[in-house]
Amino acid sequence: MSREVPGARACERGAWRLDAGRRMRGRARRDGTRGRTTRVDARAREDVRARIEALRAENEALRAEVMGKRSLGGGGEAIEGTTEATANPAVAAVEAKDEADVEVTERANAYVGDLPIAYEGESEYGAKAKAAATEMAMETTETTETRERREPDTAMFAEEVPERPTPVPVTSERASVEKTEKPMNIVFVSSEVAPWSKTGGLGDVCGALPQALVARGHRVMVISPKYQNGSKADALYNGALDTCTRAKIGCFGAEHEVGFFHQIKNGVDYVFVDHASFHRKGSLYGDSFGVYGDNQFRFTLLAHAACEAPLQLAFEGCGDRYGKDIVFVANDWHAGLVPTLVASKYRPHGVYRDARTICAIHNIFHQGVEPSTTFPCLGVPTEWYGALEYQYPHHMRAHELDEGRVVNILKGAIATSDRVLTVSQGYAYEITTPEGGKGMEGLLLSRANKLDGIANGIDMDEWNPEADPDCAAPYSVIDLAGKLECKRALQKELGLPERDDVPLMGFIGRLDWQKGPDLLQQALHDMMREDIQVVMLGSGLPELEDFMRWAEGEYKDKFRGWVGFSVPMAHRITAGCDLLLMPSRFEPCGLNQLYAMRYGTLPIAHATGGLKDTITPHNAFGDADKVLAGTADVNQGEGVGTGWLFNDMNADALMWAIRSACDVYRSDKKFWRAMQTQAMTQDLSWNNAARKWEQVFEWAKMDPPHCG
């Protein structure tokens, strides 16, 4: 529903309008339904329900035999899920009172029964369909002319999105969190932390991983700026209390004073560094004119303040100072000065000798590069210049006299930290190659024995299909009926034809070169030749936003585009779609594919970075029966896979994966259900990731300091 502002331009392009004929038919169906409701009083409906319940109890055995054996329109194709009313001969006799009503009822029940095996189970939509069919069969006062005007189709079963049902019971106990035998004091330093500040996956990691580590018995502090940009997000910091502690930081030719605010959430000490440079309108790193020119200054302050916080901050009633025996986790270049400062300013003077530093790389594309003349401003001893100096190769220099020397903060972090960690094993390998290293591949290769990759986890409570307030209905791995309701509700909300037999595909992400939406643009005409539906959610490059608007107008029954971002809509797309498209050129880890698999939505992704690590490719030779029974050994090739991966970044490779997925969806419904089962039963929790991070911390503590 192409929109930048809710309601704007969507009407102009007809994104939400159906043609006049469809509107008239929809209105006729609604009017007809209301008419029938007024003519059949409450007592008659109760009598019908009582009769059906009695017949259902008497014929349960017969229903078991008839289930799944009924043919659609006499075509000979078996249909699973035949309703009790049509399987019961007594009800069939009642329906036979009117031949036209029998025909209408059979057509309605055929639609209800002909569902993918993945959606077996009772649902609100199924209950509405059976009730509507029974009411039509029992009504005798309606005229033949009125019945002939009736035109039952999918819309009659979903005139309104049903009220949110009571969540289905949790299908399995959440795995208990095992306490560590070696608790540590851990300090995360990050430019963003959810929910206070977030632009991407970095904020999610620093918001959720520390809480998982605390649950395992560690003491964790997260240090981030206290942003004030005049938006509603400023109110999130109201819960943080001023510690009344100030630190004086010498950098950029002057002494700067910063304050510290403290808030506890789920056992984690969140500390926010307060300084005027973090108070401005715009986003965290820039505004409409580009990135802020003083970002190097702002994050130099953050790094110095982070080194002082464990020594100075004593949280009254919450434990003493963190002290000197800690593990620093410096996330991306914004916190990259922390390992260099620990090695150059503290360890030589006997401070932080027992501390260890981890350089965590979330996206190596951003390295904090500034002219070499800015080095004296960083507050790092002069003799450590070589740790931060980087020289561009000849082809990247401005002119022949340009030596290409710069200060690279991320390079300094890699060179001086005790270990280097990134967000997936695949990405850990890619950044050691010329294609993925962005100039750091040589240094990273030299530290390969200290380089690790650990895939991110997800918040299992926020992303929980059994209790998601943004979705139309709850569902679980053992009862996927609610997923069909989510699909129909999403189709209805987007104005797409409500069809269960059509694979619904979604894209959620930034519209930029990294995420690969231009590949979807290249493949769009081939995709629209298939019997599929596509919805895209995101914003970014104007030309790609315009593409989404154009595609929606060109393919009114198959494509919808939402320009912008909406967290509730992201949840509804994740729950309602059958497949998620992730054609990223590079993806350090990625979270959307993890969310999708949690919701039984199978990803189609480019085989890169964390996508290759977290998605198990479709295995046509897997044992679907064992997967459904929970006895498959996926390490021995018995698994069926959790999605599709394509290796080449081109439209042909993408279309191969799409056609393969659609073929399984339509022709092998049990196998599709098995893939959903394998995807939904994975341990995607942060607790699983926290155990692996904990192991890296222990390795770092076992070795002597790398520098200083």
Side-chain angles (χ1 to χ4, degrees):
M1 49 187 158
S2 301
R3 56 175 70 179
E4 296 170 350
V5 177
R9 304 186 68 175
C11 292
E12 297 176 10
R13 296 177 176 272
W16 296 105
R17 295 182 178 177
L18 303 176
D19 56 78
R22 294 168 65 186
R23 288 201 302 272
M24 292 176 63
R25 289 194 297 272
R27 190 178 300 115
R29 288 193 300 272
R30 291 192 295 271
D31 293 342
T33 302
R34 285 194 293 267
R36 290 193 302 273
T37 302
T38 58
R39 283 189 293 269
V40 180
D41 59 23
R43 179 177 299 177
R45 287 197 298 269
E46 289 298 324
D47 292 340
V48 170
R49 292 192 186 97
R51 293 175 60 191
I52 291 176
E53 288 298 324
L55 292 169
R56 180 180 299 164
E58 295 171 2
N59 294 278
E60 188 63 29
L62 180 60
R63 172 186 178 277
E65 296 177 1
V66 176
M67 179 72 73
K69 298 180 180 180
R70 186 178 176 195
S71 298
L72 175 59
E77 183 179 349
I79 299 175
E80 300 178 357
T82 307
T83 63
E84 291 87 343
T86 55
N88 192 297
V91 174
V94 174
E95 293 174 346
K97 291 182 179 179
D98 192 308
E99 183 176 353
D101 279 348
V102 169
E103 180 182 0
V104 170
T105 304
E106 287 189 354
R107 289 165 59 190
N109 284 333
Y111 175 79
V112 175
D114 190 20
L115 302 180
I117 191 172
Y119 304 124
E120 285 183 346
E122 186 65 282
S123 70
E124 288 255 343
Y125 283 97
K128 283 187 175 183
K130 289 189 289 187
T134 303
E135 188 173 18
M136 285 188 289
M138 297 299 298
E139 186 175 357
T140 59
T141 60
E142 207 171 5
T143 64
T144 303
E145 181 180 357
T146 303
R147 287 196 301 269
E148 289 175 352
R149 288 202 306 266
R150 195 182 305 149
E151 189 179 7
D153 63 7
T154 63
M156 69 177 290
F157 305 135
E159 284 298 335
E160 296 179 358
V161 178
E163 294 183 2
R164 181 167 178 74
T166 303
V168 297
V170 177
T171 57
S172 60
E173 292 288 338
R174 185 71 57 85
S176 59
V177 178
E178 182 181 354
K179 296 290 184 179
T180 180
E181 297 179 356
K182 300 177 181 179
M184 306 179 207
N185 289 343
I186 304 167
V187 178
F188 281 77
V189 188
S190 173
S191 60
E192 54 186 83
V193 53
W196 295 274
S197 54
K198 174 185 171 181
T199 63
L202 172 60
D204 289 322
V205 172
C206 294
L209 176 59
Q211 297 179 23
L213 289 168
V214 165
R216 293 185 59 79
H218 301 283
R219 189 182 182 198
V220 184
M221 179 195 301
V222 179
I223 303 176
S224 187
K226 183 175 183 287
Y227 297 104
Q228 296 290 292
N229 55 18
S231 69
K232 294 181 180 179
D234 293 353
L236 294 173
Y237 295 97
N238 291 344
L241 301 178
D242 191 347
T243 63
C244 298
T245 300
R246 300 291 183 267
K248 296 186 182 297
I249 296 170
C251 64
F252 283 79
E255 189 175 70
H256 308 273
E257 184 177 273
V258 300
F260 299 95
F261 284 73
H262 176 232
Q263 181 172 350
I264 299 177
K265 180 180 179 182
N266 294 335
V268 179
D269 292 306
Y270 290 95
V271 173
F272 304 107
V273 179
D274 189 41
H275 187 268
S277 64
F278 300 122
H279 304 170
R280 62 183 62 172
K281 293 184 178 180
S283 67
L284 307 187
Y285 312 115
D287 54 21
S288 58
F289 298 100
V291 297
Y292 299 131
D294 63 344
N295 275 346
Q296 187 188 52
F297 167 71
R298 300 166 76 218
F299 297 116
T300 295
L301 286 181
L302 173 66
H304 280 272
C307 291
E308 289 296 312
L311 303 175
Q312 295 193 31
L313 296 182
F315 305 121
E316 184 177 353
C318 307
D320 200 359
R321 293 175 176 84
Y322 274 64
K324 304 173 184 179
D325 185 7
I326 60 178
V327 176
F328 280 106
V329 181
N331 293 276
D332 277 346
W333 81 263
H334 315 92
L337 272 182
V338 171
T340 304
L341 290 172
V342 169
S344 64
K345 288 190 66 176
Y346 291 89
R347 281 179 182 156
H349 300 284
V351 182
Y352 288 144
R353 282 195 173 276
D354 294 326
R356 296 295 182 267
T357 56
I358 310 292
C359 172
I361 301 175
H362 299 263
N363 190 341
I364 203 169
F365 187 79
H366 306 289
Q367 300 180 6
V369 176
E370 296 290 348
S372 59
T373 54
T374 62
F375 174 78
C377 301
L378 302 179
V380 177
T382 305
E383 60 270 22
W384 286 79
Y385 170 75
L388 282 82
E389 182 191 49
Y390 177 77
Q391 188 172 20
Y392 283 112
H394 287 281
H395 70 277
M396 298 182 69
R397 301 178 190 176
H399 48 77
E400 292 184 0
L401 298 180
D402 180 13
E403 295 183 349
R405 298 185 188 278
V406 295
V407 170
N408 188 316
I409 293 179
L410 183 63
K411 185 251 184 180
I414 297 171
T416 59
S417 61
D418 295 299
R419 295 194 76 92
V420 181
L421 185 61
T422 189
V423 289
S424 70
Q425 292 180 338
Y427 195 57
Y429 164 74
E430 289 177 3
I431 61 178
T432 63
T433 67
E435 295 81 9
K438 305 301 178 184
M440 295 293 104
E441 60 273 8
L443 177 59
L444 287 164
L445 273 174
S446 70
R447 303 216 61 198
N449 64 326
K450 303 292 184 182
L451 174 62
D452 301 283
I454 299 173
N456 290 333
I458 62 175
D459 188 327
M460 301 288 277
D461 293 322
E462 178 184 0
W463 294 90
N464 181 9
E466 298 183 42
D468 192 327
D470 295 315
C471 298
Y475 60 94
S476 69
V477 68
I478 62 173
D479 180 9
L480 280 164
K483 185 167 177 62
L484 178 61
E485 296 184 29
C486 292
K487 178 176 180 177
R488 291 179 178 175
L490 180 63
Q491 289 172 323
K492 181 179 180 65
E493 181 179 3
L494 298 176
L496 290 168
E498 295 170 45
R499 295 178 57 191
D500 301 335
D501 59 326
V502 172
L504 179 57
M505 305 183 183
F507 170 91
I508 304 171
R510 298 190 311 274
L511 303 181
D512 62 15
W513 180 84
Q514 177 196 343
K515 298 298 182 180
D518 57 302
L519 185 60
L520 299 181
Q521 182 180 18
Q522 296 172 21
L524 182 68
H525 294 300
D526 288 335
M527 292 171 64
M528 294 296 98
R529 291 191 183 100
E530 304 292 328
D531 190 15
I532 64 174
Q533 294 174 346
V534 178
V535 53
M536 293 181 65
L537 170 67
S539 62
L541 296 176
E543 56 268 29
L544 292 174
E545 293 180 356
D546 290 339
F547 152 70
M548 287 168 56
R549 298 186 184 99
W550 171 85
E552 184 175 276
E554 186 74 11
Y555 301 103
K556 294 182 175 62
D557 291 337
K558 288 190 171 187
F559 187 96
R560 289 292 182 271
W562 182 307
V563 176
F565 192 77
S566 164
V567 173
M569 176 54 70
H571 279 248
R572 292 198 289 274
I573 290 175
T574 302
C577 284
D578 302 297
L579 295 156
L580 183 77
L581 301 172
M582 292 193 69
S584 300
R585 282 180 169 80
F586 70 93
E587 194 68 68
C589 177
L591 294 174
N592 284 336
Q593 83 278 12
L594 303 180
Y595 301 149
M597 290 187 290
R598 169 84 163 131
Y599 280 65
T601 301
L602 305 182
I604 297 176
H606 181 215
T608 183
L611 301 180
K612 184 170 56 178
D613 286 352
T614 55
I615 300 171
T616 304
H618 165 247
N619 176 20
F621 302 100
D623 193 325
D625 292 323
K626 285 188 176 181
V627 172
L628 291 172
T631 60
D633 186 345
V634 296
N635 296 321
Q636 296 299 320
E638 294 179 347
V640 294
T642 62
W644 285 262
L645 295 172
F646 57 94
N647 293 312
D648 300 323
M649 192 65 185
N650 58 54
D652 290 339
L654 172 64
M655 287 306 303
W656 170 85
I658 289 176
R659 292 187 180 107
S660 176
C662 291
D663 181 63
V664 176
Y665 179 85
R666 292 192 174 98
S667 63
D668 198 340
K669 301 193 171 84
K670 183 173 75 171
F671 203 93
W672 181 271
R673 173 65 183 271
M675 291 186 70
Q676 288 182 306
T677 300
Q678 184 172 332
M680 297 179 74
T681 53
Q682 297 176 102
D683 185 359
L684 303 175
S685 68
W686 272 114
N687 177 55
N688 184 38
R691 287 188 292 103
K692 299 175 182 178
W693 278 71
E694 185 181 275
Q695 180 64 69
V696 174
F697 298 157
E698 292 178 3
W699 290 338
K701 296 287 284 184
M702 290 168 56
D703 297 328
H706 178 63
C707 288

